Amino acid sequence: MTKGKLVIQVPDEVIRNKHVKFDSNTFALYTYLKYLQFRNYGSNELELNHNHIKHKLYMSDNRTLKKCLFALHQSGAVMELINKLPTKGNLKLTFDPDAIQTETFTQLPVTVINKIEHIGTTGMRLMFYYESFINRTDDISKQYAFPALETTSLHTGLNKETIVRYNDILKKHKLIKITKHKLEWNGEYDTLDQALITKYNNHYFVNIDKL
């Protein structure tokens, strides 16, 4: 449960790349800018220490940050086209998250940003992705996601090997739990041999209490 915790709401369109194609670093920057905008009393005009942002999101260099800012500019979320980062002083930009239209949001505690040190921006992206399928008003036994690996790859732009690797990292830090459930035969197979193939569907539980 997120009761009593400060949360960040991210559009499902961003989480699932419906209208944009954000990589994990760009997704993390978008999410962090949403938090900073909240801290700035909702003002779209932000003045930022770009070195602090790189440190917070564990970005290795200026090129990575500029690439993310360019992607956000293309989406309309950042108004300015930023070709150079200031050598002195702060980075000034206009952040408009409403430029990416959405009908639904997914929220996680803001402390998820502090976990990037251990799970990377990809791990954070996957946490939001799995959470986007969970209805927290459901019975607790039903509060899990079950997207197929292929679907997760399609929605996030991550290859299957990367998803599996970061799932293991998230499990190691007890931020998600994964259980396997056998899929039942529904009579749609053409032959008995096909019916005997055992198939599993992972259930993903997001451990909000660990954030």
Side-chain angles (χ1 to χ4, degrees):
M1 297 295 289
T2 58
K3 186 176 181 180
K5 294 183 178 180
L6 181 63
V7 298
I8 305 177
Q9 289 188 331
V10 179
D12 289 339
E13 278 77 359
V14 172
I15 294 170
R16 302 179 190 176
N17 276 345
K18 288 185 177 180
H19 302 305
V20 295
K21 298 296 180 185
F22 289 169
D23 63 16
S24 295
N25 285 325
T26 305
F27 173 84
L29 179 59
Y30 175 91
T31 302
Y32 190 47
L33 289 178
K34 283 211 72 177
Y35 169 64
L36 294 177
Q37 183 196 35
F38 168 79
R39 289 285 303 271
N40 198 35
Y41 303 102
S43 173
N44 290 2
E45 305 297 326
L46 299 178
E47 188 170 339
L48 312 168
N49 183 321
H50 62 277
N51 287 316
H52 173 76
I53 291 176
K54 285 193 301 178
H55 174 75
K56 192 71 176 179
L57 302 183
Y58 285 80
M59 293 184 180
S60 58
D61 52 39
N62 286 344
R63 286 180 300 176
T64 302
L65 178 56
K66 286 193 294 184
K67 180 182 176 182
C68 295
L69 288 168
F70 178 73
L72 291 178
H73 172 69
Q74 284 190 312
S75 74
V78 169
M79 301 298 293
E80 297 83 2
L81 175 60
I82 300 170
N83 292 315
K84 291 183 61 177
L85 297 173
T87 55
K88 294 182 180 180
N90 291 330
L91 171 66
K92 297 180 180 179
L93 58 82
T94 308
F95 178 63
D96 181 17
D98 294 334
I100 302 173
Q101 296 183 356
T102 185
E103 294 182 0
T104 57
F105 292 85
T106 294
Q107 64 183 31
L108 284 177
V110 68
T111 46
V112 68
I113 294 173
N114 298 332
K115 299 294 184 179
I116 291 176
E117 176 184 2
H118 306 292
I119 66 174
T121 57
T122 298
M124 187 180 81
R125 173 71 174 277
L126 286 173
M127 287 194 71
F128 269 100
Y129 181 72
Y130 297 139
E131 182 67 21
S132 72
F133 290 98
I134 298 174
N135 183 351
R136 291 293 174 180
T137 64
D138 269 347
D139 182 272
I140 193 168
S141 64
K142 299 179 180 179
Q143 292 183 17
Y144 57 83
F146 51 95
L149 185 61
E150 292 80 5
T151 304
T152 303
S153 178
L154 178 66
H155 284 170
T156 63
L158 301 168
N159 63 52
K160 296 176 185 178
E161 292 75 15
T162 298
I163 295 168
V164 171
R165 179 159 58 91
Y166 276 91
N167 281 343
D168 288 340
I169 293 172
L170 290 171
K171 287 193 296 181
K172 175 183 176 182
H173 291 280
K174 304 185 186 305
L175 293 172
I176 65 170
K177 182 178 75 171
I178 302 176
T179 61
K180 287 187 176 181
H181 287 255
K182 187 183 295 185
L183 297 179
E184 299 295 332
W185 178 50
N186 59 11
E188 293 182 357
Y189 295 108
D190 294 329
T191 68
L192 179 61
D193 287 341
Q194 286 179 296
L196 292 175
I197 296 174
T198 302
K199 292 182 178 293
Y200 292 91
N201 190 21
N202 285 343
H203 287 186
Y204 299 87
F205 299 81
V206 178
N207 299 328
I208 294 179
D209 58 314
K210 300 298 183 182
L211 293 174

